[in-house]
Amino acid sequence: MTSEPGSTKFQIDLRRHLRNNEVERNLTILICELAEASKYIINSIRTGDLGVAGTSNLYGEEQLELDVLSDRILQKRLKNSGVVSSFLSEESSEVVYLACEDGQCYSVAYDPLDGSSLVDVNLAVGTIISIYAGSDLMQTGRKQVAAMYILYGPRTTIVYSTGNGVHEFAMNQLMEYTLVQENVTIDKAGGIYSPGGQRNLYTDGTREYVLSLEASGHKLRYSGGFVPDINQILMKGRGIFMYPHLKGHPNGKLRLLYELNPMAFLVEQAGGAASNGYMPIMDIKPQGIDDRAPVFIGCKEDVAMAESFVARELAVTG
Ligand code: AFP
């Protein structure tokens, strides 16, 4: 039971939802700490001078790029939470290990402000978070115990899953996250497609796949931000996002540990699929912390069709 009798869902805040869903105590602490951190990130996005790192603001304070500042905000929360044994940020080049003795500890891989270059043109950006039990982050995405993202758009929302459905929360005037919808689901096919990367670098199979999507009436929706583009597919319940293998870039652009695995966890929980064109994203064994992979993610049937075009291409080109 996630909504208590007599309460409207809009009164269910994030902490109460986690408790109602019997989420493990330290995981509840961790998710709530990350939600709290988002309030400071929002403030830095809304008010921060968009100068580049190394400059100083009018008070002579060192100016940080927003993604560096967002990373510092999150790191402080993770270090002080008492429930994190290791974390990896897109902004750092190594895993940071922490002392954690109090009960179940967790590891976190995150992109503090994905799409940060879009802030300059006032487009939506987000924080992407992958969570494992214990201190080993170099596991397949299948081993994640939770994933979430925070979307800084016209509304600030949190979407999370601990393996029991995907749930959306929105920030209210009091800066509390209250429940908007539970158990978000994706249809089997159709609707929109988000084609990332340069089309002139698409392989023949991917190009033919896109042509087939357009022939079936899919509408192009692409913002250049992974979080808003995935959120649109999740909340509309249909569509597919791709950042495929490109000529000269066989692994595409997006990072496995802190972009693809958490989004794959959420989309599969919503009834969708996520593939690198050959196998499920969450079955890929990481080789390094900065691994990248091609991705087709969204409606199950659209992803299966992508795999068939890629397989056909392989059969031809070998
Ligand atoms: P940045 O974080 O460097 O802005 O890149 C954003 C991103 O990683 C992801 O959010 C987008 O889906 C993808 O890159 C867009 O890449 P293109 O600009 O090559 O389409």
Side-chain angles (χ1 to χ4, degrees), residues 96-298:
V96 175
Y97 292 92
L98 305 170
C100 172
E101 285 89 29
D102 177 20
Q104 177 62 60
C105 298
Y106 293 92
S107 290
V108 181
Y110 65 94
D111 185 347
L113 200 62
D114 182 80
S116 52
S117 57
L118 298 171
V119 173
D120 297 358
V121 292
N122 205 19
L123 284 176
V125 293
T127 299
I128 311 172
I129 299 159
S130 170
I131 301 173
Y132 292 84
S135 57
D136 180 8
L137 278 167
M138 296 304 285
Q139 304 181 69
T140 64
R142 205 60 74 190
K143 299 284 190 184
Q144 294 172 105
V145 294
M148 65 190 276
Y149 62 77
I150 305 156
L151 176 53
Y152 311 103
R155 294 189 303 155
T156 302
T157 57
I158 284 182
V159 173
Y160 90 87
S161 177
T162 55
N164 294 306
V166 176
H167 316 297
E168 182 193 25
F169 295 75
M171 181 179 277
N172 64 19
Q173 289 93 332
L174 301 176
M175 296 196 87
E176 300 158 336
Y177 284 104
T178 57
L179 181 64
V180 174
Q181 56 179 319
E182 292 180 305
N183 302 315
V184 173
T185 54
I186 292 183
D187 295 345
K188 291 193 180 333
I192 57 180
Y193 71 104
S194 294
Q198 285 179 243
R199 301 285 284 270
N200 63 319
L201 298 179
Y202 277 19
T203 60
D204 294 344
T206 306
R207 191 177 299 114
E208 285 166 30
Y209 172 58
V210 169
L211 290 174
S212 74
L213 291 174
E214 289 168 341
S216 61
H218 282 63
K219 285 183 181 175
L220 193 157
R221 292 287 183 272
Y222 188 74
S223 77
F226 192 37
V227 178
D229 287 343
I230 292 294
N231 185 69
Q232 179 170 211
I233 289 168
L234 272 173
M235 299 310 152
K236 286 191 186 299
R238 54 199 172 91
I240 183 158
F241 174 98
M242 68 196 84
Y243 206 108
H245 47 303
L246 304 172
K247 290 172 185 164
H249 302 277
N251 290 323
K253 173 182 183 182
L254 300 185
R255 278 56 61 101
L256 178 63
L257 289 183
Y258 35 73
E259 289 173 331
L260 299 184
N261 273 336
M263 289 307 197
F265 184 89
L266 291 167
V267 167
E268 282 202 11
Q269 275 291 312
S275 168
N276 66 357
Y278 321 97
M279 63 186 288
I281 289 287
M282 289 205 286
D283 292 338
I284 299 173
K285 176 76 175 96
Q287 302 305 313
I289 58 174
D290 58 351
D291 282 6
R292 299 172 190 263
V295 65
F296 301 86
I297 180 171

Side-chain angles (χ1 to χ4, degrees), residues 7-76:
S7 66
T8 67
K9 68 177 183 180
F10 298 106
Q11 293 163 353
I12 304 285
D13 68 9
L14 179 60
R15 188 182 299 275
R16 192 189 300 180
H17 193 267
L18 291 162
R19 284 201 187 121
N20 290 351
N21 281 275
E22 297 173 355
V23 173
E24 191 277 323
R25 174 185 171 277
N26 284 0
L27 183 54
T28 294
I29 291 171
L30 174 55
I31 291 173
C32 290
E33 282 289 344
L34 293 164
E36 278 303 302
S38 71
K39 299 175 183 178
Y40 298 87
I41 294 174
I42 293 164
N43 186 51
S44 60
I45 292 171
R46 302 271 188 265
T47 59
D49 172 357
L50 302 180
V52 294
T55 57
S56 61
N57 63 19
L58 68 163
Y59 307 107
E61 295 157 351
E62 183 201 8
Q63 183 65 42
L64 294 173
E65 279 186 310
L66 286 178
D67 44 10
V68 174
L69 180 56
S70 302
D71 182 41
R72 287 197 183 177
I73 292 167
L74 287 161
Q75 282 202 31
K76 186 174 178 183

